[in-house]
Amino acid sequence: MPERMVGKQAPRFEMDAVMPNKEFKKVSLEENMKNDKWTVLFFYPMDFTFVCPTEITAMSDRFEEFDDLDAVVIGASTDTIHTHLAWIKTDRKENGLGDLNYPLAADTNHVVARDYGVLIEEEGIALRGLFIINPEGEMMYSVVNHNNIGRDVDETLRVLQALQTGGLCPANWKPGQATLNV
């Protein structure tokens, strides 16, 4: 049975990535922690598929909102940085990504997807896992979807903001609303 991760230190990672300027560099949880940033790490199954570009571009289109919340967004799959780059260089109208505002990381050895509990071993691809990690490296939120279902950027931003209140947020809490007093 998988071990819970929320409320514990998140697995540390370092991966090769295609940066927004299209250069190859490394991204790591440690670097985000050093910079006192929240980390929004999301996994998707494969490049050049159908649901994936809708999520990846939706996150990119809302990048400034994450940035305003001191959050670093990292997308990851088990594809290579070269495949990522080819997909980024493909226009959105042709099922590509176009320019992105955050890095796409390559977990080609499957270590990070396995550590985060989203690797489909027999297929070598990741489930749609999304993780929010605070600047101290604690896993604060984890959700995993079936690969047929895309994620909601509004909900990701809402949860991030709720976590950043440090308070108790009731059901249907929205940014700007009061937290519970106990």
Side-chain angles (χ1 to χ4, degrees):
M1 173 156 253
E3 187 178 318
R4 79 168 168 87
M5 293 194 311
V6 173
K8 294 184 175 184
Q9 285 293 298
R12 299 304 190 255
F13 63 81
E14 180 178 87
M15 293 180 278
D16 290 328
V18 180
M19 305 307 284
N21 65 3
K22 298 180 184 69
E23 290 181 7
F24 297 147
K25 294 204 171 158
K26 295 209 180 281
V27 292
S28 73
L29 180 56
E30 291 288 339
E31 187 67 25
N32 296 346
M33 291 169 60
K34 266 195 279 187
N35 293 325
D36 200 33
K37 298 286 186 180
W38 287 75
T39 300
V40 176
L41 172 65
F42 74 94
F43 289 89
Y44 63 93
M46 289 187 291
D47 293 351
F48 293 100
T49 55
F50 306 100
V51 175
C52 298
T54 66
E55 292 185 304
I56 294 166
T57 57
M59 294 286 269
S60 183
D61 292 345
R62 306 282 298 275
F63 172 79
E64 285 184 19
E65 293 172 70
F66 287 99
D67 193 46
D68 289 345
L69 295 168
D70 288 325
V72 173
V73 175
I74 301 170
S77 78
T78 57
D79 293 296
T80 69
I81 52 176
H82 303 287
T83 306
H84 288 344
L85 183 59
W87 201 21
I88 289 167
K89 287 182 173 181
T90 303
D91 190 270
R92 287 186 182 190
K93 293 178 194 132
E94 298 171 11
N95 200 37
L97 300 177
D99 291 337
L100 292 180
N101 294 310
Y102 61 85
L104 277 190
D107 182 27
T108 53
N109 60 11
H110 306 171
V111 169
V112 183
R114 188 175 292 114
D115 286 351
Y116 278 78
V118 296
L119 182 65
I120 303 172
E121 294 278 352
E122 58 276 12
E123 296 179 39
I125 63 171
L127 290 164
R128 292 185 196 285
L130 184 138
F131 305 91
I132 299 178
I133 304 161
N134 73 15
E136 290 75 43
E138 181 183 353
M139 176 79 66
M140 301 296 289
Y141 179 78
S142 167
V143 63
V144 180
N145 292 358
H146 186 281
N147 281 340
N148 290 348
I149 309 298
R151 289 159 283 201
D152 186 318
V153 179
D154 288 331
E155 177 63 3
T156 302
L157 284 162
R158 185 192 78 83
V159 169
L160 176 61
Q161 291 172 80
L163 291 168
Q164 290 180 346
T165 69
L168 300 173
C169 297
N172 301 318
W173 178 89
K174 299 277 188 268
Q177 293 178 337
T179 57
L180 298 176
N181 293 321
V182 232

